[in-house]
Amino acid sequence: MAEHISKQFDLELENTRTRVLQMGGMVEQQILSAIDALMTGDIEKLDRVIAEDALVNALEVSIDENCQHIIARRQPAAGDLRMVISVVKTITDLERIGDEAQKIARMGKAIHENERYQMPRFREVRKMAEVAIAMLRRALDAFARLDAHAALELAEEDRRLDDDFAAEIRHLITFMMEDPRTISMSIDTLFIAKAIERIGDHAKNISEYVVYLVKGKDIRHTTIDDLNATING
């Protein structure tokens, strides 16, 4: 009987992990659609990204409730408890990534509807988005495979994305100083770049939860050297 309950519990945990990855796929598609629509001026697609955020929110609530039920019924301990905690933290970051994708769509819609679109202004934004999306994929892969080593790679990628964001701010300031007519468009672009930078932050957070899950150590707010020691120690 105990073995049967244990197997059923393992199945519940695995099902929960699968739903987290499903949610991750949804928010990744949100970002891809938002960036693609931003580049092409597809207003209908931007509207879909905005509307689909409600689906991501609903999935977060559903998974969170499931985790609460697991805690109440199963009273997990040790690694199982860390798994549930990591899931709750991960879906919070995924929901916030969805919010950032929605923000990109809203800003993109404002730019296109007001005819403030200029292609050269979005080259750097697209490059930033490619980095952020790759970070999210790596974080979700680490969660799926319980790969603690990914956290070190993502910490370094996040630093690169921060540098790219700082460079984009400098570019936009230059545009605004040279031509005040670009101020509105530049401000909207700045919000988009910031949203992408935040996506990278959330992806890094997810990789840190994997380290907590695998190693049992909280590595938030640590240096890359300390992170390296924790993972490889």
Side-chain angles (χ1 to χ4, degrees):
M1 179 66 177
E3 182 182 356
H4 171 71
I5 292 174
S6 177
K7 287 182 178 178
Q8 193 173 14
F9 183 26
D10 289 342
L11 188 62
E12 287 179 23
L13 290 176
E14 188 58 32
N15 179 61
T16 300
R17 284 212 318 149
T18 299
R19 296 184 71 201
V20 172
L21 294 173
Q22 176 191 0
M23 184 177 177
M26 288 175 64
V27 297
E28 179 184 336
Q29 187 56 53
Q30 269 190 297
I31 304 166
L32 288 168
S33 296
I35 295 299
D36 179 67
L38 173 68
M39 302 303 297
T40 60
D42 188 336
I43 299 297
E44 288 186 8
K45 197 171 197 177
L46 291 169
D47 283 333
R48 283 199 300 273
V49 173
I50 294 169
E52 287 169 359
D53 189 56
L55 300 177
V56 174
N57 294 343
L59 187 54
E60 183 207 13
V61 171
S62 176
I63 297 173
D64 186 67
E65 289 177 346
N66 186 51
C67 288
Q68 292 180 45
H69 292 157
I70 287 175
I71 291 173
R73 292 197 316 269
R74 303 297 190 183
Q75 298 181 349
D80 291 336
L81 180 58
R82 291 202 304 273
M83 170 63 76
V84 175
I85 292 172
S86 297
V87 165
V88 171
K89 289 179 176 291
T90 296
I91 61 174
T92 298
D93 276 273
L94 288 175
E95 188 275 332
R96 289 174 181 169
I97 289 174
D99 288 345
E100 300 300 340
Q102 185 189 59
K103 189 181 300 180
I104 292 169
R106 289 187 184 280
M107 293 299 102
K109 190 175 178 182
I111 289 171
H112 286 287
E113 287 184 339
N114 291 283
E115 299 182 347
R116 297 200 292 258
Y117 180 69
Q118 297 180 38
M119 277 295 292
R121 305 297 191 265
F122 287 96
R123 290 173 183 168
E124 291 81 6
V125 166
R126 181 166 56 184
K127 291 177 184 177
M128 286 181 63
E130 289 171 355
V131 174
I133 291 168
M135 288 179 66
L136 176 59
R137 287 174 178 165
R138 186 73 176 92
L140 292 171
D141 181 64
F143 180 82
R145 297 189 297 109
L146 302 181
D147 178 11
H149 289 83
L152 187 59
E153 178 184 326
L154 263 73
E156 293 169 347
E157 285 294 295
D158 187 56
R159 181 181 291 178
R160 172 188 164 192
L161 194 58
D162 290 343
D163 291 341
D164 289 344
F165 176 62
E168 179 65 1
I169 291 176
R170 292 193 294 271
H171 291 156
L172 291 171
I173 289 173
T174 300
F175 294 146
M176 288 186 283
M177 291 177 64
E178 290 178 350
D179 186 354
R181 292 173 299 177
T182 67
I183 289 176
S184 293
M185 184 277 299
S186 295
I187 290 174
D188 287 339
T189 305
L190 176 61
F191 279 119
I192 291 171
K194 181 60 180 177
I196 294 170
E197 188 267 338
R198 288 295 296 147
I199 289 170
D201 289 341
H202 291 304
K204 180 173 73 73
N205 290 347
I206 293 170
S207 73
E208 291 174 350
Y209 305 147
V210 175
V211 175
Y212 168 72
L213 174 56
V214 175
K215 299 285 187 177
K217 295 182 179 180
D218 188 342
I219 60 166
R220 292 175 297 175
H221 316 301
T222 60
T223 65
I224 288 183
D225 288 340
D226 290 339
L227 173 58
N228 191 34
T230 298
I231 293 173
N232 297 306

